[in-house]
Amino acid sequence: MDQAPTLIDQAIAWLTGNAAIAIAVSSSLLSALLLFIDSRWPEAEGEDAQAPAELAEAAAPEVAAEVPSEPAVAPAVDEAEPVAAEPAEVEQPAPEPEPEPARVSLRERLAKTSQNLVGRLGRVLGAGTVDQDVIDELEALLFTADLGVTTAEDLLETVKQRAMGQDASQVRAVLREAIVEKLAKVEAAEPVVLKTPGPHVVLVLGVNGSGKTTTIGKLAAQYTRAGKKVVLGAGDTFRAAAAEQLQVWGERSGAEVISGKEGGDPAAVAFDTVKAAMAREADVCIIDTAGRLQTKKPLMEELAKINRIISRDLPDAPHECLLVLDSNTGQNAISQAQLFTEVAGVTGLVLTKLDGTAKGGVIVGLADEFAIPVRYVGVGEGVDDLREFHAEEFVDALFEAG
Ligand SMILES: Nc1nc2c(ncn2[C@@H]2O[C@H](COP(=O)(O)OP(=O)(O)OP(=O)(O)O)[C@@H](O)[C@H]2O)c(=O)[nH]1
Ligand SMILES: [Mg+2]
């Protein structure tokens, strides 16, 4: 029985009939494949071989060329510039602080007093021993050195006790020691401690011309330089131009100045000044006063009123009450201190104009008579001419100059 040829039978028959074509096609395909592999082979081989050796070789010349001319290093240096610069900066000396204004030495400023008190000693003391003649001459010297009678007597007595019969050269040392002992008693035990929270209120008293306003200006400058906020009160409403004078000091020192009407009530100015200082959260408030009142009753009444008004808002104010005394007035300074300490609670003395006088010995008399600290000494008209008082330093200046 004849069967119809299947699809496979037909394909075999076709292949048999076209064997030559099939072989040709197959071989073409094979050669194409071989050609493709051949064309790819050298590339693959090159990549593999190049990896460790050739890449290193290729990179090496580049690095070698770049390092000397620094292109690779340069950016790194740029980036690292602050770090690289740092050691050089550290080695540089710290910037110099602003030079302080040259301060004339205390010794120079006290030269006249020193000459009067110590300089004359050379003529009094001979080469021999201390006897009654030497004591008599010394007495005359001490009584004309503005120390005050009591203080002069006291010092003379000390010299008698400690140096009588000894070499005259001893007198200088004995006198120096005795004066240091007296002044040490009025050296403030500790620096002023500002009341916190402020304002620390300072009332400044003294007869006219003693140096109140100038002292306030110098003091304000010291406080503002120390970073404190300062308000000044022109409580001298009596003298024409007194407020303007304080205003000038305020501008110079960077302190605000509160003033009232000329001829107005000083207590009202004091009140406004404290109010303003409180409102501005000032650290220090310094109130100037008129120096015209030298008779006890009106002075007492005026100061009592100022004190009452100041303490209305700040019950413990004033925290300081400075009495300014002109050392030129010599023994008169002692009677002024007497008057003011009776009418006001003076907490500290300021002795001004020590630079221009031979009467500075009065400071020893003041120390002897009043147990009130000498806070400052004025040694010139400039802003830097107010110095804290230190007994040893002061006496050193007196005895070195003499
Ligand atoms: N040489 C010198 N002069 C000073 C010193 N202190 C103040 N004076 C000068 O003394 C004069 C009077 O100073 P003021 O500060 O105006 O005195 P005051 O007590 O305020 O005077 P009134 O306001 O009139 O009561 C001024 O010419 C100051 O320059 C000082 O320590 N040395
Ligand atoms: Mg004044």
Side-chain angles (χ1 to χ4, degrees):
M1 175 171 107
D2 280 339
Q3 281 184 338
T6 64
L7 198 61
I8 294 171
D9 292 337
Q10 284 175 9
I12 290 169
W14 185 87
L15 276 173
T16 312
N18 296 284
I21 297 167
I23 289 164
V25 168
S26 307
S27 75
S28 308
L29 281 171
L30 189 62
S31 352
L33 183 65
L34 285 173
L35 268 174
F36 173 75
I37 291 170
D38 189 47
S39 73
R40 294 288 303 153
W41 188 252
E43 197 181 320
E45 193 183 41
E47 276 173 7
D48 282 348
Q50 202 180 18
E54 282 182 26
L55 276 184
E57 235 177 75
E62 264 175 53
V63 171
E66 282 172 6
V67 168
S69 59
E70 293 186 15
V73 177
V77 169
D78 281 346
E79 275 167 32
E81 207 165 58
V83 178
E86 223 175 74
E89 270 174 24
V90 168
E91 278 167 25
Q92 281 171 9
E96 289 284 322
E98 283 275 305
E100 284 231 338
R103 270 167 61 116
V104 179
S105 73
L106 195 56
R107 186 163 58 86
E108 280 173 61
R109 293 291 161 99
L110 297 182
K112 285 188 181 171
T113 295
S114 175
Q115 173 53 32
N116 192 28
L117 185 61
V118 187
R120 289 191 292 154
L121 274 179
R123 270 172 270 146
V124 169
L125 307 167
T129 53
V130 178
D131 55 17
Q132 193 53 48
D133 286 349
V134 170
I135 294 294
D136 289 345
E137 289 212 47
L138 191 59
E139 184 176 23
L141 184 155
L142 293 174
F143 275 76
T144 53
D146 280 283
L147 299 158
V149 175
T150 322
T151 304
E153 278 172 354
D154 201 34
L155 288 173
L156 195 64
E157 194 51 39
T158 306
V159 172
K160 271 194 217 165
Q161 283 174 13
R162 298 186 194 172
M164 196 63 142
Q166 294 188 31
D167 196 279
S169 61
Q170 295 290 310
V171 172
R172 206 179 143 99
V174 168
L175 209 52
R176 185 192 178 285
E177 195 182 304
I179 292 175
V180 169
E181 280 167 19
K182 288 183 183 297
L183 290 182
K185 285 189 285 182
V186 291
E187 178 174 324
E190 52 192 41
V192 172
V193 179
L194 293 186
K195 171 101 175 88
T196 49
H200 176 88
V201 180
V202 185
L203 187 64
V204 179
L205 312 175
V207 302
N208 57 315
S210 59
K212 296 180 295 296
T213 308
T214 309
T215 299
I216 291 170
K218 294 170 180 175
L219 204 51
Q222 288 188 8
Y223 278 125
T224 51
R225 264 187 222 157
K228 304 295 178 199
K229 193 175 201 177
V230 181
V231 173
L232 306 179
D236 180 357
T237 57
F238 176 73
R239 188 167 62 82
E244 284 85 346
Q245 187 191 358
L246 195 66
Q247 188 66 47
V248 170
W249 276 108
E251 278 158 25
R252 195 179 293 174
S253 60
E256 188 180 345
V257 178
I258 305 295
S259 39
K261 272 193 268 143
E262 201 176 306
D265 184 354
V269 176
F271 181 74
D272 289 347
T273 306
V274 172
K275 274 264 186 235
M278 289 170 78
R280 318 268 197 282
E281 296 184 345
D283 301 289
V284 186
C285 162
I286 313 176
I287 301 169
D288 198 2
T289 59
R292 76 190 191 280
L293 298 164
Q294 291 182 59
T295 44
K296 198 168 172 178
K297 197 156 177 281
L299 179 65
M300 194 187 275
E301 282 167 1
E302 181 154 312
L303 293 180
K305 188 175 176 189
I306 291 175
N307 274 320
R308 206 168 47 243
I309 274 193
I310 288 176
S311 58
R312 198 178 283 173
D313 284 314
L314 287 173
D316 52 351
H319 307 100
E320 275 184 271
C321 182
L322 295 178
L323 173 61
V324 179
L325 299 168
D326 175 350
S327 43
N328 268 308
T329 62
Q331 289 307 289
N332 209 348
I334 293 188
S335 36
Q336 287 166 27
Q338 193 72 53
L339 170 69
F340 278 91
T341 50
E342 279 171 23
V343 299
V346 176
T347 61
L349 302 181
V350 182
L351 216 60
T352 61
K353 310 188 197 180
L354 276 163
D355 52 305
T357 184
K359 299 179 177 179
V362 66
I363 196 170
V364 190
L366 285 164
D368 240 1
E369 296 216 15
F370 305 94
I372 301 173
V374 177
R375 282 282 171 197
Y376 305 97
V377 289
V379 290
E381 293 183 274
V383 68
D384 293 312
D385 295 328
L386 187 73
R387 315 267 170 98
E388 273 183 14
F389 173 72
H390 299 291
E392 278 278 356
E393 181 193 34
F394 190 88
V395 177
D396 274 351
L398 276 186
F399 278 74
E400 275 169 28

